[in-house]
Amino acid sequence: MIRITLELSSEVEEKLRESLVRHDATEMRQLLAEAFSTTVETLLKQASEPSPSNDEFEFIADQLAEEFAACVGSDAPMLSDYAVSRAGIYSN
């Protein structure tokens, strides 16, 4: 499932609310189409950005692991093999 969030300026949001009150479906469609068009352009630009190389990915993953370790501290309990297995994840 892909979730897309439209970020609207307060001006566009207000226009949408006014259109809703007036039951002006045409204006609402136009405002939403313009907002959606901008969002699609942003998504396409993001999709065209190159993926990180394996070395870049490893570097980022190491940084995240170090930041996580700094947040939880050295005395954080380890998860069991079962806890991270498919059966453990999907058990109640």
Side-chain angles (χ1 to χ4, degrees), residues 72-83:
V72 298
S74 60
D75 58 339
M78 297 294 287
L79 293 173
S80 68
D81 289 341
Y82 177 76

Side-chain angles (χ1 to χ4, degrees), residues 1-61:
M1 175 197 322
I2 296 175
R3 179 172 291 180
I4 298 174
T5 303
L6 292 176
E7 294 188 20
L8 306 173
S9 68
S10 57
E11 178 182 308
V12 172
E13 185 178 352
E14 182 62 30
K15 287 179 181 179
L16 275 172
R17 290 179 192 280
E18 291 169 0
S19 299
L20 180 63
V21 170
R22 290 191 315 269
H23 299 284
D24 187 346
T26 303
E27 184 176 1
M28 289 183 73
R29 281 189 201 101
Q30 181 179 355
L31 290 165
L32 290 171
E34 290 170 7
F36 190 71
S37 175
T38 303
T39 301
V40 168
E41 289 173 17
T42 302
L43 288 171
L44 290 173
K45 286 178 187 174
Q46 290 173 351
S48 67
E49 294 175 1
S51 298
S53 68
N54 287 342
D55 290 339
E56 291 170 326
F57 179 82
E58 289 295 326
F59 178 75
I60 293 168

